[in-house]
Amino acid sequence: MRIVIIGSGGRLGAALVGEYRDKYDIAGFNHAQLDLANLDDVRGKLDAMSFDVLINAAAFTNVDLCETERDRAFLINAEAPGVLAKIASDKGARLIHFSTDYVFDGEKRAPYTEEDRANPISAYGESKLAGETNVLAMENGHLVVRVSWLFGHDRPSFIDGIIKRAQENEQVDAIADKFSAPTYTNDIAHMLPQFFDRGVAGGILHFANAGKCSWQEYGQWALNCCREAGVPLKARTVGALRLSDMTRPRQCSGGQAPWVARRPVYSVLSAAKYAELTGTSPRTWRDAVADYIRRFYSKK
Ligand SMILES: NC(=O)c1ccc[n+]([C@@H]2O[C@H](COP(=O)([O-])OP(=O)(O)OC[C@H]3O[C@@H](n4cnc5c(N)ncnc54)[C@H](OP(=O)(O)O)[C@@H]3O)[C@@H](O)[C@H]2O)c1
């Protein structure tokens, strides 16, 4: 099976390449090798290749920048995935395209299913939803996988940031009133091959580690796991910030710039459809985080 992975330099794309390198015939493109903003180049390069599965893990993921660079967000996150879907369809290949919990407005207080109405509240969310629509309009055999709060060793994310801050400071804080589920890129890489076959259901699929938490709970669990793994830290507990603090420059933790884009306060994804299709359930986010810290921090 020949697989092409776009976004191989990103957090998820690099994890996919690492997992599949020895198992499949893989070609990866990082941003410098293939620019989704250059649609002619995308067509030229991919039309010349043969593959069974095309995975798009590339995106314009800077949520705040998407607000001010709306056209670019729609070009990369919406128009380009439509072009990828067309290229894959023409070759009889399956496109697996990644999307986000940020397509939802966050008003629900129970896990979002694939049937729930998307209603994005940011340019990033709007552009990602338009990308989903473009992919599925081309052919309903393609697959859109929505994921949330990714972490993994290939590119630092929230968890690495809070561990670093806890190593350098006595006091660390994180938002306590925004909820979703952290999801380990390795877990996505392990589960995805079940969907390589075009015979397996296409459409939208939610995948996230099980359970729900705030950033504060996520950070606290990460520090607990570090302590368990013998990783030296100065801070023991994670203090609470409010979502509203993130829009005020002086309150932002870690010297972070204030947020421009609105974010959903609740964006837990239900993995019920995944469980029904595969007969398995994702492990809990706590188990996934503990595993990540054992593998990538306790060795340091
Ligand atoms: N991170 C999360 O918490 C999260 C949550 C929900 C959904 N998702 C979705 O999951 C997928 C993977 O996210 P991730 O966390 O792996 O993001 P990431 O680490 O930001 O990786 C995205 C990759 O896309 C590349 N890229 C950006 N613009 C490009 C362009 N014009 N052409 C080609 N490549 C381009 C980036 O390259 P540069 O770094 O050089 O720009 C980067 O390597 C995305 O679809 C994202 O929307 C992520």
Side-chain angles (χ1 to χ4, degrees), residues 6-14 29-38 42 56-62 72 76-77 97-102 124 128 145-151 155-157 183 185 188 215 269:
I6 301 172
S8 61
R11 186 177 299 118
L12 177 58
F29 288 100
N30 63 25
H31 193 166
Q33 292 162 328
L34 186 77
D35 183 1
L36 290 182
N38 184 343
V42 170
N56 181 29
F60 185 11
T61 55
N62 186 320
R72 186 170 167 75
I76 296 165
N77 293 343
H97 171 71
F98 282 93
S99 192
T100 171
D101 51 328
Y102 278 27
Y124 169 72
K128 292 292 290 183
V145 184
R146 290 184 185 142
V147 294
S148 61
W149 291 9
L150 296 185
F151 66 92
R155 186 177 268 199
S157 62
T183 302
T185 52
I188 298 173
W215 292 107
L269 298 173

Side-chain angles (χ1 to χ4, degrees), residues 264-278:
V265 296
Y266 179 98
S267 57
V268 180
L269 298 173
S270 163
K273 179 178 173 184
Y274 172 82
E276 197 178 306
L277 286 171
T278 64

Side-chain angles (χ1 to χ4, degrees), residues 219-231:
Q220 185 63 60
W221 179 247
L223 299 199
N224 295 352
C225 292
C226 280
R227 206 160 287 282
E228 184 78 16
V231 181

